[in-house]
Short mmCIF file of all heavy atoms in Angstrom, two decimals:
data_model
loop_
_atom_site.label_atom_id
_atom_site.label_comp_id
_atom_site.label_asym_id
_atom_site.label_seq_id
_atom_site.Cartn_x
_atom_site.Cartn_y
_atom_site.Cartn_z
N LEU A 103 4.19 3.21 6.66
CA LEU A 103 4.84 4.20 5.79
C LEU A 103 3.85 4.62 4.71
O LEU A 103 2.89 3.92 4.43
CB LEU A 103 6.10 3.61 5.15
CG LEU A 103 7.22 3.28 6.13
CD1 LEU A 103 8.40 2.63 5.38
CD2 LEU A 103 7.70 4.51 6.88
N THR A 108 8.90 8.35 -1.49
CA THR A 108 10.17 7.64 -1.30
C THR A 108 10.53 7.68 0.18
O THR A 108 9.88 8.37 0.98
CB THR A 108 11.32 8.32 -2.08
OG1 THR A 108 11.50 9.64 -1.55
CG2 THR A 108 11.01 8.40 -3.57
N VAL A 109 11.58 6.94 0.52
CA VAL A 109 12.06 6.93 1.90
C VAL A 109 12.33 8.36 2.38
O VAL A 109 11.84 8.79 3.43
CB VAL A 109 13.34 6.06 1.99
CG1 VAL A 109 14.09 6.32 3.28
CG2 VAL A 109 12.97 4.59 1.87
N LEU A 110 13.06 9.12 1.58
CA LEU A 110 13.38 10.50 1.97
C LEU A 110 12.11 11.33 2.11
O LEU A 110 11.94 12.08 3.09
CB LEU A 110 14.32 11.14 0.94
CG LEU A 110 14.77 12.55 1.33
CD1 LEU A 110 15.89 12.49 2.36
CD2 LEU A 110 15.22 13.35 0.11
N GLU A 111 11.21 11.18 1.16
CA GLU A 111 9.96 11.96 1.20
C GLU A 111 9.12 11.61 2.43
O GLU A 111 8.49 12.48 3.02
CB GLU A 111 9.15 11.73 -0.07
CG GLU A 111 9.75 12.40 -1.30
CD GLU A 111 9.16 11.90 -2.62
OE1 GLU A 111 8.47 10.87 -2.64
OE2 GLU A 111 9.43 12.56 -3.65
N ASN A 112 9.13 10.32 2.82
CA ASN A 112 8.44 9.94 4.04
C ASN A 112 9.00 10.69 5.25
O ASN A 112 8.25 11.12 6.12
CB ASN A 112 8.58 8.43 4.29
CG ASN A 112 7.41 7.63 3.75
OD1 ASN A 112 6.39 7.51 4.40
ND2 ASN A 112 7.56 7.10 2.54
N VAL A 113 10.32 10.83 5.27
CA VAL A 113 10.95 11.44 6.44
C VAL A 113 10.78 12.96 6.47
O VAL A 113 10.59 13.54 7.54
CB VAL A 113 12.45 11.04 6.51
CG1 VAL A 113 13.13 11.67 7.71
CG2 VAL A 113 12.58 9.52 6.57
N ILE A 114 10.80 13.60 5.31
CA ILE A 114 10.71 15.08 5.33
C ILE A 114 9.27 15.59 5.31
O ILE A 114 9.05 16.78 5.58
CB ILE A 114 11.48 15.73 4.15
CG1 ILE A 114 10.83 15.38 2.82
CG2 ILE A 114 12.96 15.35 4.17
CD1 ILE A 114 11.38 16.17 1.65
N GLU A 115 8.32 14.72 5.01
CA GLU A 115 6.95 15.19 4.81
C GLU A 115 6.42 16.04 5.98
O GLU A 115 5.99 17.18 5.78
CB GLU A 115 6.01 14.00 4.54
CG GLU A 115 4.55 14.35 4.40
CD GLU A 115 4.22 15.20 3.18
OE1 GLU A 115 5.11 15.37 2.32
OE2 GLU A 115 3.09 15.71 3.09
N ALA A 128 15.30 20.29 5.83
CA ALA A 128 14.64 19.02 6.18
C ALA A 128 15.36 17.84 5.53
O ALA A 128 15.50 16.78 6.15
CB ALA A 128 13.17 19.05 5.75
N ILE A 129 15.81 18.04 4.30
CA ILE A 129 16.51 16.96 3.61
C ILE A 129 17.84 16.65 4.31
O ILE A 129 18.19 15.48 4.53
CB ILE A 129 16.75 17.33 2.13
CG1 ILE A 129 15.42 17.33 1.38
CG2 ILE A 129 17.74 16.37 1.47
CD1 ILE A 129 15.51 17.79 -0.06
N GLU A 130 18.53 17.71 4.68
CA GLU A 130 19.81 17.51 5.37
C GLU A 130 19.61 16.72 6.67
O GLU A 130 20.31 15.75 6.95
CB GLU A 130 20.39 18.89 5.69
CG GLU A 130 21.87 18.89 5.99
CD GLU A 130 22.35 20.33 6.17
OE1 GLU A 130 21.98 21.19 5.32
OE2 GLU A 130 23.05 20.59 7.15
N GLN A 131 18.58 17.11 7.42
CA GLN A 131 18.28 16.43 8.67
C GLN A 131 17.86 14.98 8.41
O GLN A 131 18.27 14.06 9.11
CB GLN A 131 17.17 17.19 9.41
CG GLN A 131 16.87 16.62 10.79
CD GLN A 131 15.42 16.87 11.21
OE1 GLN A 131 14.57 17.25 10.40
NE2 GLN A 131 15.15 16.66 12.48
N ALA A 132 17.05 14.79 7.37
CA ALA A 132 16.57 13.44 7.04
C ALA A 132 17.75 12.54 6.67
O ALA A 132 17.79 11.36 7.05
CB ALA A 132 15.57 13.50 5.89
N GLU A 133 18.71 13.09 5.95
CA GLU A 133 19.87 12.29 5.57
C GLU A 133 20.66 11.85 6.80
O GLU A 133 21.14 10.72 6.87
CB GLU A 133 20.74 13.07 4.59
CG GLU A 133 20.14 13.06 3.19
CD GLU A 133 20.83 13.97 2.20
OE1 GLU A 133 21.56 14.90 2.66
OE2 GLU A 133 20.65 13.77 0.99
N GLN A 134 20.76 12.75 7.76
CA GLN A 134 21.45 12.37 9.00
C GLN A 134 20.68 11.26 9.73
O GLN A 134 21.28 10.30 10.23
CB GLN A 134 21.57 13.59 9.93
CG GLN A 134 22.70 14.54 9.52
CD GLN A 134 22.58 15.89 10.21
OE1 GLN A 134 21.83 16.03 11.18
NE2 GLN A 134 23.31 16.87 9.71
N LEU A 135 19.36 11.40 9.77
CA LEU A 135 18.57 10.39 10.45
C LEU A 135 18.64 9.05 9.74
O LEU A 135 18.72 8.00 10.38
CB LEU A 135 17.11 10.86 10.56
CG LEU A 135 16.87 11.96 11.59
CD1 LEU A 135 15.47 12.54 11.44
CD2 LEU A 135 17.07 11.41 13.01
N LEU A 136 18.62 9.09 8.41
CA LEU A 136 18.71 7.83 7.66
C LEU A 136 20.06 7.17 7.88
O LEU A 136 20.17 5.95 7.94
CB LEU A 136 18.45 8.08 6.16
CG LEU A 136 17.00 8.42 5.82
CD1 LEU A 136 16.85 8.79 4.36
CD2 LEU A 136 16.08 7.24 6.17
N GLN A 137 21.08 7.99 8.01
CA GLN A 137 22.40 7.45 8.32
C GLN A 137 22.39 6.79 9.70
O GLN A 137 22.90 5.69 9.88
CB GLN A 137 23.43 8.58 8.29
CG GLN A 137 24.83 8.10 8.53
CD GLN A 137 25.83 9.03 7.87
OE1 GLN A 137 25.49 10.16 7.50
NE2 GLN A 137 27.06 8.59 7.71
N LYS A 138 21.74 7.46 10.62
CA LYS A 138 21.66 6.95 11.99
C LYS A 138 20.98 5.58 12.03
O LYS A 138 21.39 4.69 12.78
CB LYS A 138 20.86 7.96 12.80
CG LYS A 138 20.67 7.68 14.26
CD LYS A 138 19.58 8.65 14.74
CE LYS A 138 19.39 8.63 16.22
NZ LYS A 138 20.34 9.52 16.90
N VAL A 139 19.93 5.39 11.20
CA VAL A 139 19.25 4.09 11.20
C VAL A 139 19.84 3.16 10.14
O VAL A 139 19.28 2.09 9.86
CB VAL A 139 17.72 4.23 11.01
CG1 VAL A 139 17.11 5.07 12.13
CG2 VAL A 139 17.37 4.81 9.65
N GLY A 140 20.93 3.59 9.52
CA GLY A 140 21.65 2.72 8.60
C GLY A 140 21.02 2.57 7.23
O GLY A 140 21.15 1.53 6.58
N LEU A 141 20.30 3.59 6.76
CA LEU A 141 19.58 3.45 5.49
C LEU A 141 19.85 4.60 4.52
O LEU A 141 19.03 4.88 3.65
CB LEU A 141 18.07 3.36 5.75
CG LEU A 141 17.61 2.06 6.41
CD1 LEU A 141 16.14 2.17 6.81
CD2 LEU A 141 17.81 0.86 5.49
N GLN A 142 21.02 5.23 4.66
CA GLN A 142 21.28 6.39 3.79
C GLN A 142 21.24 6.02 2.31
O GLN A 142 20.83 6.81 1.47
CB GLN A 142 22.60 7.09 4.15
CG GLN A 142 23.85 6.24 4.05
CD GLN A 142 24.09 5.38 5.31
OE1 GLN A 142 23.14 4.94 5.97
NE2 GLN A 142 25.34 5.14 5.64
N ASP A 143 21.62 4.75 2.00
CA ASP A 143 21.63 4.35 0.58
C ASP A 143 20.23 4.05 0.05
O ASP A 143 20.06 3.77 -1.13
CB ASP A 143 22.56 3.16 0.37
CG ASP A 143 22.17 2.00 1.29
OD1 ASP A 143 21.71 2.26 2.42
OD2 ASP A 143 22.31 0.83 0.87
N LYS A 144 19.23 4.08 0.92
CA LYS A 144 17.86 3.77 0.48
C LYS A 144 17.02 5.04 0.31
O LYS A 144 15.80 4.93 0.12
CB LYS A 144 17.17 2.86 1.51
CG LYS A 144 17.82 1.50 1.67
CD LYS A 144 17.55 0.63 0.46
CE LYS A 144 18.10 -0.76 0.65
NZ LYS A 144 18.09 -1.53 -0.60
N ARG A 145 17.63 6.20 0.38
CA ARG A 145 16.84 7.42 0.47
C ARG A 145 15.87 7.60 -0.70
O ARG A 145 14.80 8.17 -0.54
CB ARG A 145 17.70 8.69 0.63
CG ARG A 145 18.72 8.92 -0.45
CD ARG A 145 19.24 10.35 -0.41
NE ARG A 145 18.45 11.20 -1.30
CZ ARG A 145 18.58 12.50 -1.40
NH1 ARG A 145 19.44 13.14 -0.65
NH2 ARG A 145 17.85 13.19 -2.25
N ASP A 146 16.23 7.13 -1.89
CA ASP A 146 15.38 7.42 -3.05
C ASP A 146 14.51 6.24 -3.50
O ASP A 146 13.91 6.30 -4.57
CB ASP A 146 16.24 7.91 -4.20
CG ASP A 146 16.86 9.27 -3.87
OD1 ASP A 146 16.15 10.11 -3.26
OD2 ASP A 146 18.04 9.49 -4.18
N VAL A 147 14.45 5.19 -2.71
CA VAL A 147 13.59 4.07 -3.13
C VAL A 147 12.22 4.20 -2.46
O VAL A 147 12.04 4.94 -1.49
CB VAL A 147 14.22 2.69 -2.79
CG1 VAL A 147 15.63 2.60 -3.33
CG2 VAL A 147 14.19 2.42 -1.30
N PRO A 149 8.94 2.54 -0.42
CA PRO A 149 8.86 1.58 0.68
C PRO A 149 8.64 0.13 0.25
O PRO A 149 9.14 -0.78 0.91
CB PRO A 149 7.67 2.08 1.50
CG PRO A 149 7.66 3.55 1.26
CD PRO A 149 8.08 3.72 -0.17
N LEU A 152 11.54 -2.32 0.35
CA LEU A 152 12.32 -2.53 1.57
C LEU A 152 11.87 -3.78 2.32
O LEU A 152 10.72 -4.20 2.21
CB LEU A 152 12.16 -1.33 2.51
CG LEU A 152 12.59 0.05 1.99
CD1 LEU A 152 12.26 1.11 3.02
CD2 LEU A 152 14.08 0.06 1.67
N GLY A 155 12.31 -4.94 8.36
CA GLY A 155 13.23 -4.27 9.28
C GLY A 155 13.64 -2.90 8.77
O GLY A 155 13.74 -1.93 9.54
N GLN A 156 13.86 -2.81 7.46
CA GLN A 156 14.21 -1.52 6.87
C GLN A 156 13.04 -0.55 6.95
O GLN A 156 13.20 0.62 7.28
CB GLN A 156 14.65 -1.71 5.41
CG GLN A 156 15.98 -2.46 5.30
CD GLN A 156 16.30 -2.85 3.86
OE1 GLN A 156 15.40 -3.08 3.05
NE2 GLN A 156 17.59 -2.93 3.55
N LYS A 157 11.85 -1.06 6.68
CA LYS A 157 10.66 -0.20 6.77
C LYS A 157 10.52 0.38 8.17
O LYS A 157 10.24 1.56 8.35
CB LYS A 157 9.39 -0.99 6.44
CG LYS A 157 9.17 -1.22 4.97
CD LYS A 157 7.88 -1.98 4.72
CE LYS A 157 7.80 -2.38 3.27
NZ LYS A 157 6.90 -3.49 3.02
N GLN A 158 10.72 -0.49 9.17
CA GLN A 158 10.53 -0.01 10.53
C GLN A 158 11.60 1.02 10.89
O GLN A 158 11.32 1.97 11.61
CB GLN A 158 10.54 -1.19 11.51
CG GLN A 158 9.97 -0.88 12.88
CD GLN A 158 8.53 -0.38 12.83
OE1 GLN A 158 8.24 0.67 12.22
NE2 GLN A 158 7.62 -1.10 13.45
N ARG A 159 12.81 0.84 10.38
CA ARG A 159 13.85 1.84 10.66
C ARG A 159 13.52 3.17 9.98
O ARG A 159 13.77 4.24 10.54
CB ARG A 159 15.21 1.31 10.25
CG ARG A 159 15.72 0.23 11.22
CD ARG A 159 17.11 -0.23 10.89
NE ARG A 159 17.13 -1.17 9.78
CZ ARG A 159 18.16 -1.30 8.93
NH1 ARG A 159 19.22 -0.52 9.05
NH2 ARG A 159 18.10 -2.19 7.96
N VAL A 160 12.93 3.11 8.78
CA VAL A 160 12.49 4.35 8.14
C VAL A 160 11.40 5.00 8.99
O VAL A 160 11.39 6.22 9.22
CB VAL A 160 11.94 4.10 6.71
CG1 VAL A 160 11.32 5.37 6.14
CG2 VAL A 160 13.04 3.58 5.80
N ALA A 161 10.47 4.17 9.48
CA ALA A 161 9.37 4.71 10.30
C ALA A 161 9.92 5.39 11.56
O ALA A 161 9.41 6.42 11.99
CB ALA A 161 8.40 3.59 10.68
N ILE A 162 10.99 4.82 12.12
CA ILE A 162 11.60 5.45 13.30
C ILE A 162 12.24 6.78 12.90
O ILE A 162 12.05 7.80 13.58
CB ILE A 162 12.63 4.49 13.95
CG1 ILE A 162 11.91 3.27 14.54
CG2 ILE A 162 13.43 5.22 15.02
CD1 ILE A 162 12.85 2.17 15.05
N ALA A 163 12.94 6.79 11.77
CA ALA A 163 13.55 8.04 11.30
C ALA A 163 12.48 9.09 11.03
O ALA A 163 12.65 10.27 11.36
CB ALA A 163 14.37 7.78 10.04
N ARG A 164 11.36 8.65 10.45
CA ARG A 164 10.27 9.58 10.15
C ARG A 164 9.75 10.22 11.43
O ARG A 164 9.52 11.43 11.48
CB ARG A 164 9.14 8.82 9.44
CG ARG A 164 7.90 9.64 9.19
CD ARG A 164 6.85 8.88 8.41
NE ARG A 164 6.23 7.80 9.18
CZ ARG A 164 5.20 7.09 8.77
NH1 ARG A 164 4.67 7.33 7.57
NH2 ARG A 164 4.69 6.14 9.52
N ALA A 165 9.57 9.40 12.47
CA ALA A 165 9.08 9.95 13.74
C ALA A 165 10.11 10.87 14.38
O ALA A 165 9.77 11.94 14.90
CB ALA A 165 8.71 8.81 14.69
N LEU A 166 11.38 10.48 14.30
CA LEU A 166 12.43 11.30 14.91
C LEU A 166 12.58 12.65 14.23
O LEU A 166 13.02 13.62 14.84
CB LEU A 166 13.77 10.56 14.85
CG LEU A 166 13.91 9.33 15.74
CD1 LEU A 166 15.25 8.64 15.47
CD2 LEU A 166 13.80 9.73 17.22
N ALA A 167 12.23 12.70 12.94
CA ALA A 167 12.39 13.94 12.18
C ALA A 167 11.58 15.09 12.76
O ALA A 167 11.85 16.25 12.48
CB ALA A 167 12.00 13.72 10.72
N GLU A 189 18.04 -5.63 14.11
CA GLU A 189 18.44 -4.34 13.56
C GLU A 189 17.55 -3.21 14.06
O GLU A 189 18.01 -2.08 14.24
CB GLU A 189 18.44 -4.40 12.02
CG GLU A 189 17.07 -4.64 11.39
CD GLU A 189 17.17 -5.00 9.90
OE1 GLU A 189 17.94 -5.93 9.55
OE2 GLU A 189 16.49 -4.34 9.10
N VAL A 193 18.61 0.02 16.83
CA VAL A 193 18.31 1.44 16.68
C VAL A 193 17.63 1.99 17.93
O VAL A 193 17.95 3.08 18.42
CB VAL A 193 17.42 1.67 15.43
CG1 VAL A 193 16.86 3.08 15.40
CG2 VAL A 193 18.20 1.38 14.15
N ASP A 196 20.09 2.51 20.71
CA ASP A 196 20.85 3.75 20.50
C ASP A 196 20.05 4.96 20.99
O ASP A 196 20.58 5.85 21.63
CB ASP A 196 21.16 3.94 19.01
CG ASP A 196 22.26 2.99 18.54
OD1 ASP A 196 22.93 2.40 19.43
OD2 ASP A 196 22.44 2.85 17.32
#
Side-chain angles (χ1 to χ4, degrees):
Chain A
L103 294 177
T108 63
V109 164
L110 184 79
E111 288 166 347
N112 265 277
V113 179
I114 66 170
E115 176 66 10
I129 290 175
E130 199 175 314
Q131 185 208 13
E133 283 171 341
Q134 282 165 15
L135 286 169
L136 288 174
Q137 183 153 16
K138 182 193 188 84
V139 301
L141 290 171
Q142 60 277 33
D143 55 326
K144 297 288 185 191
R145 57 165 267 174
D146 293 320
V147 308
L152 300 176
Q156 291 171 330
K157 282 181 189 159
Q158 197 58 299
R159 286 184 281 150
V160 173
I162 293 173
R164 175 176 70 173
L166 290 175
E189 64 193 51
V193 168
D196 286 347

